[in-house]
Amino acid sequence: MPAIRPILALALLAGAAPLAAGDGADPGTTHAPAPGAPVFTPSTLPYPFSTAVQVGDVLYLSGDIGVDESGSAVVPGGIEPETRRMFERIGATLAQHGLGFDDVFKCTVYLADMGEWPAFNAIYATYFEKGRYPARSAMGVSGLALGARVEMECWAYSPQ
């Protein structure tokens, strides 16, 4: 496993310029996409994925975990602090695209221990309007990146 370089969490907001599908340009450049082509927002973390991809009127967010400010480890304390930090990171990605949690319509949740589902749900419910919760799947998994307790990916409505 390659060494993880420390990254400031603020770098997430600092300069991830969208790239058009098939764009081989450096992540710091932006090219106008062809109509209907996916628009990629490269991750500032040293991993091969995009933080989000816009396709039509949907913004697909990659799974996020509760990493600390260095980006190399999860925040200490277990499911509750990790879940709060994960939501902060997801909120920052949504804001980068002019969106908020009200725009999220689908979530997929991965838990390292399904016994922590009630603790996760208590925090999850505070981020969405009661009665307007996104469609959601939740599942237990045998392992998550950096030993995280929870990971969540989201889809958000982002009219173009």
Side-chain angles (χ1 to χ4, degrees):
M1 179 175 201
I4 299 172
R5 293 178 281 156
I7 303 291
L8 295 175
L10 293 177
L12 175 66
L13 299 173
L19 295 176
D23 188 340
D26 292 330
T29 63
T30 303
H31 292 87
V39 178
F40 298 84
T41 302
S43 175
T44 58
L45 299 175
Y47 306 110
F49 67 89
S50 294
T51 300
V53 178
Q54 179 82 39
V55 180
D57 289 344
V58 178
L59 182 69
Y60 298 89
L61 280 69
S62 288
D64 215 327
I65 61 176
V67 294
D68 63 14
E69 290 190 22
S70 75
S72 63
V74 295
V75 295
I79 188 71
E80 292 177 9
E82 283 186 43
T83 299
R84 286 186 185 92
R85 178 67 179 140
M86 176 193 72
F87 270 100
E88 289 172 10
R89 291 179 50 77
I90 291 170
T93 299
L94 290 167
Q96 180 181 3
H97 293 273
L99 303 173
F101 287 104
D102 289 346
D103 299 301
V104 174
F105 66 88
K106 170 70 171 104
C107 296
T108 305
V109 180
Y110 307 94
L111 294 161
D113 180 353
M114 285 303 291
E116 295 177 326
W117 191 56
F120 168 80
N121 272 337
I123 296 167
Y124 176 92
T126 67
Y127 283 86
F128 301 101
E129 180 183 335
K130 187 174 182 177
R132 289 185 41 92
Y133 297 117
R136 186 181 83 181
S137 301
M139 62 203 79
V141 296
S142 66
L144 294 168
L146 302 177
R149 307 297 307 155
V150 61
E151 180 171 345
M152 187 169 77
E153 64 183 33
C154 302
W155 299 7
Y157 179 63
S158 179
Q160 298 302 294

